[in-house]
């Protein structure tokens, strides 16, 4: 399939993990991909490998918590590929996340965390939407989590915010022919998850899943590409669980 031929797509947090898999999958279906990340070395490697594999990609450093950096990302994408058609707001503080309670987490850390994990998605969306609209519309996928529906401290709170942001932006941007949806993964087998979550807790989570295994980044690709593509042309404001049945609503 080549659902994204001649279209550009920004994937934030694409230097590794789930974001890297999204970027590679979009390129494999014809998209011109901007690999956006703070990690210059790894981000450039991902973009070079996509190009070596026959795709089209360029790296751009971005700090999603900084509106000026987000604006520069949009400008880079337009200069590189002529416009902006798709955005995946995947960047987050996760793999090196501090574990603490909402009641006790240091305020400076909490604000930094929310600046990336919640405000970052809004910053980048604000930076790109006018270019999307000028090109006739587009689509955005935000990375949520099933943590939004279970106790997960400030991480869960950020994902509750992502869900609300998705729904509110879907309304605000619908008139510009821009769709906004989110994916809510369950426990995913990544280096970041293993760094954050103790093995005993992971084992317990998996034992409670109807499909008794951890997910993989590849399990999320189909949902992401569907929501970005014209196949989902009448889908917006939706949070799609990809979670092995963890959350039943």
């Amino acid at each position: 399939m080549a659902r994204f031929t001649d279209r550009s797509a920004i994937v934030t947090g694409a230097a590794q993990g789930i974001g890297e898999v999204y970027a590679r999958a979009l390129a494999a279906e014809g998209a011109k991909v901007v690999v956006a990340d703070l990690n210059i070395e790894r981000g450039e490697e991902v973009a070079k490998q996509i190009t070596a594999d026959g795709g089209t990609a360029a790296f751009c450093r971005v700090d999603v918590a900084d509106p000026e950096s987000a604006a520069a990302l949009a400008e880079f994408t337009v200069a590189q590929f002529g416009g902006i058609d798709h955005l995946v707001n995947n960047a987050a503080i996760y793999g090196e996340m501090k574990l603490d309670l909402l009641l006790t987490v240091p305020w400076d850390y909490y604000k930094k965390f929310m600046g990336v994990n919640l405000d970052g998605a809004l910053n980048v969306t604000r930076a790109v939407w006018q270019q999307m609209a000028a090109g006739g519309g587009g689509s955005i996928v935000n990375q949520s989590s099933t943590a939004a529906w279970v106790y997960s401290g400030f991480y869960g709170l950020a994902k509750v915010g992502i869900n609300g942001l998705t729904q509110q932006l879907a309304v605000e941007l619908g008139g510009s022919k821009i769709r906004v949806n989110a994916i809510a993964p369950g426990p995913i087998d990544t280096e970041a998850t293993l760094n954050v979550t103790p093995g005993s807790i992971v084992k317990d989570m998996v034992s409670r899943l109807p499909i008794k295994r951890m997910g993989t980044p590849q399990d999320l690709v189909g949902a992401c590409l569907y929501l970005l593509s014209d196949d989902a042309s009448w889908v917006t404001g939706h949070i799609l669980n990809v979670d092995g049945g963890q959350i039943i609503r």
Side-chain angles (χ1 to χ4, degrees), residues 208-230:
R208 297 171 187 271
L209 298 176
I211 300 175
K212 298 189 182 302
R213 66 170 176 85
M214 290 188 76
T216 69
Q218 197 63 37
D219 287 321
L220 307 177
V221 165
C224 183
L225 297 187
Y226 164 70
L227 290 173
L228 289 173
S229 76
D230 293 342

Side-chain angles (χ1 to χ4, degrees), residues 104-126:
T104 55
V105 61
W107 190 248
D108 287 347
Y109 181 79
Y110 171 82
K111 296 296 286 184
K112 175 183 177 183
F113 184 90
M114 288 296 184
V116 174
N117 289 40
L118 176 56
D119 297 339
L122 180 56
N123 280 335
V124 181
T125 300
R126 284 165 59 110

Side-chain angles (χ1 to χ4, degrees), residues 63-87:
D63 176 358
V64 298
D66 178 0
E68 291 184 2
S69 183
L73 169 62
E75 291 171 5
F76 173 89
T77 305
V78 172
Q80 196 78 18
F81 297 133
I84 304 171
D85 299 299
H86 307 288
L87 166 65

Side-chain angles (χ1 to χ4, degrees), residues 2 6 16 30 38 40 72 93 97 113 130 134 136 144 150 155 174 191 231 235 240:
D6 296 326
Q16 59 189 320
L38 270 175
I40 296 173
I93 296 171
M97 177 176 61
F113 184 90
Q130 289 177 309
S144 181
V150 299
Y155 179 75
E191 180 181 344
D231 292 340
V235 179
L240 176 58

Side-chain angles (χ1 to χ4, degrees), residues 54-67:
T56 302
F59 171 75
C60 183
R61 183 188 181 279
V62 67
D63 176 358
V64 298
D66 178 0

Side-chain angles (χ1 to χ4, degrees), residues 153-229:
F154 50 87
Y155 179 75
L157 179 59
K159 296 307 183 181
V160 170
I162 286 290
N163 291 350
L165 180 68
T166 298
Q167 294 169 335
Q168 302 304 315
L169 286 176
V171 175
E172 291 193 10
L173 293 174
S176 299
K177 298 183 180 179
I178 298 171
R179 298 181 299 100
V180 188
N181 294 288
I183 296 171
I188 303 296
D189 189 4
T190 63
E191 180 181 344
T193 296
L194 298 177
N195 286 343
V196 169
T197 310
S200 59
I201 294 178
V202 170
K203 185 176 180 180
D204 180 64
M205 281 194 297
V206 171
S207 73
R208 297 171 187 271
L209 298 176
I211 300 175
K212 298 189 182 302
R213 66 170 176 85
M214 290 188 76
T216 69
Q218 197 63 37
D219 287 321
L220 307 177
V221 165
C224 183
L225 297 187
Y226 164 70
L227 290 173
L228 289 173
S229 76

Side-chain angles (χ1 to χ4, degrees), residues 14-17 20 35 39-47 59 191:
Q16 59 189 320
E20 177 182 350
V35 176
N39 190 322
I40 296 173
E41 182 178 356
R42 294 188 69 162
E44 287 181 341
E45 286 178 3
V46 171
F59 171 75
E191 180 181 344

